[in-house]
Amino acid sequence: MSASMIRRRVVVHGTVQGVFFRDTCRREASRHGVNGWVRNRPDGAVEAVFEGTVDGVGSMISWTRQGPPSAQVERVETAEEPFEGLAGFGVRQG
């Protein structure tokens, strides 16, 4: 495993459900070569895990601060986690 590979968990608060946040996130992750997953939370937030290069994950975190055009992001919480080596990027239910 390369030291340049990182993992971050983000929780995005605001008007982020029902605005194609998850599907757009999946497409952005693919574009940046980032693995992981994204899901809606019962509290109205969206949670995601991003794994990849520092640049790729950084780009995804930056993207979550705005999200897709219909989203209204109020705040983004970011936590560092140990890299697991996930493959692909999926949209999870609940």
Side-chain angles (χ1 to χ4, degrees):
M1 176 178 67
S2 170
S4 65
M5 300 299 273
I6 63 169
R7 175 183 172 112
R8 297 291 182 270
R9 181 178 302 263
V10 299
V11 179
V12 185
H13 299 271
T15 304
V16 292
Q17 290 188 13
V19 295
F20 298 101
F21 199 102
R22 293 176 299 165
D23 190 56
T24 308
C25 184
R26 180 186 53 76
R27 282 184 278 143
E28 284 293 312
S30 176
R31 194 165 72 85
H32 290 288
V34 171
N35 296 321
W37 53 264
V38 61
R39 70 180 178 108
N40 285 343
R41 293 185 1 164
D43 64 1
V46 170
E47 179 179 20
V49 166
F50 301 131
E51 286 193 346
T53 64
V54 172
D55 287 347
V57 171
S59 292
M60 287 306 300
I61 292 170
S62 294
W63 178 84
T64 64
R65 292 191 177 107
Q66 181 169 348
S70 299
Q72 294 180 334
V73 176
E74 293 173 5
R75 77 179 192 279
V76 177
E77 300 170 17
T78 306
E80 187 174 333
E81 295 184 346
F83 183 79
E84 291 182 10
L86 297 174
F89 195 93
V91 174
R92 293 186 175 179
Q93 299 303 315

